[in-house]
């Protein structure tokens, strides 16, 4: 599974410890605070989270992006020393019937066919100028 970790460390000590931990677990530093690994198992990620939890404090923020996990995109966040998880389902393509129902097509065509109306004052000015 592909895993990307973005860090916002609260102190230099926790940053140093987490950077060393990620370097030893096969992650490559892509940007200043972004690390990636394309071949991490679910069990390895679970133990990595436990290790990171030891090195962090209340002021550290960590976001972990995982794909695919059971066909879903998962974002796990450590903020204020609490783990939160957001699971996003993959978007299913809509069928042609769902994309444009006849009722919505009628509403759109009626709105498009409606002529633009001018205020009465503008209409009367146009008549007097001719």
């Amino acid at each position: 599974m592909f895993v990307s970790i973005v860090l916002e460390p609260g102190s230099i000590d926790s940053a140093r410890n987490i950077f060393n931990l990620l370097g030893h677990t096969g992650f490559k530093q892509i940007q200043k605070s972004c690390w990636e690994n394309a071949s991490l198992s679910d069990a390895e990620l679970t133990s990595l989270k436990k290790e990171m939890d030891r090195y962090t404090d209340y002021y550290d923020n960590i976001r972990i992006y995982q794909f695919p996990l059971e066909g879903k995109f998962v974002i796990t966040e450590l903020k204020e020393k609490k783990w939160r998880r957001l699971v996003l389902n993959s978007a299913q393509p809509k069928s042609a019937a769902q994309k444009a129902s006849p009722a919505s097509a009628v509403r759109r065509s009626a709105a498009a066919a409606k002529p633009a109306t001018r205020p009465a004052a503008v209409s009367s000015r146009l008549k007097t100028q001719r």
Side-chain angles (χ1 to χ4, degrees):
M1 130 179 70
F2 174 79
V3 177
S4 178
I5 298 178
V6 179
L7 303 166
E8 187 180 330
S11 69
I12 294 172
D13 293 334
S14 61
R16 188 178 304 124
N17 290 332
I18 295 171
F19 287 177
N20 288 334
L21 175 66
L22 292 174
H24 290 309
T25 55
F27 279 83
K28 294 196 184 333
Q29 189 172 13
I30 304 303
Q31 293 178 355
K32 183 179 179 182
S33 295
C34 182
W35 297 71
E36 292 180 354
N37 188 334
S39 60
L40 197 67
S41 71
D42 199 24
E44 291 171 326
L45 182 60
T46 302
S47 69
L48 178 64
K49 286 180 189 177
K50 289 178 184 177
E51 286 292 319
M52 284 193 298
D53 204 26
R54 291 182 193 163
Y55 294 123
T56 58
D57 59 17
Y58 183 84
Y59 301 103
D60 295 321
N61 292 324
I62 299 173
R63 287 178 66 94
I64 301 173
Y65 301 91
Q66 302 165 245
F67 186 80
L69 183 64
E70 299 171 1
K72 299 174 182 172
F73 180 63
V74 179
I75 302 171
T76 308
E77 178 180 34
L78 175 69
K79 188 173 184 177
E80 298 174 352
K81 205 61 174 162
K82 293 180 185 174
W83 287 100
R84 293 176 180 88
R85 187 174 186 169
L86 174 66
V87 178
L88 303 170
N89 293 323
S90 62
Q92 298 295 326
K94 293 183 179 181
S95 66
Q98 290 175 331
K99 285 183 182 176
S101 68
S104 65
V106 169
R107 276 184 259 134
R108 273 188 256 123
S109 64
K114 187 177 180 181
T117 59
R118 294 183 184 158
V122 174
S123 302
S124 65
R125 263 190 275 134
L126 289 176
K127 289 179 187 175
T128 56
Q129 289 177 356
R130 289 185 193 163

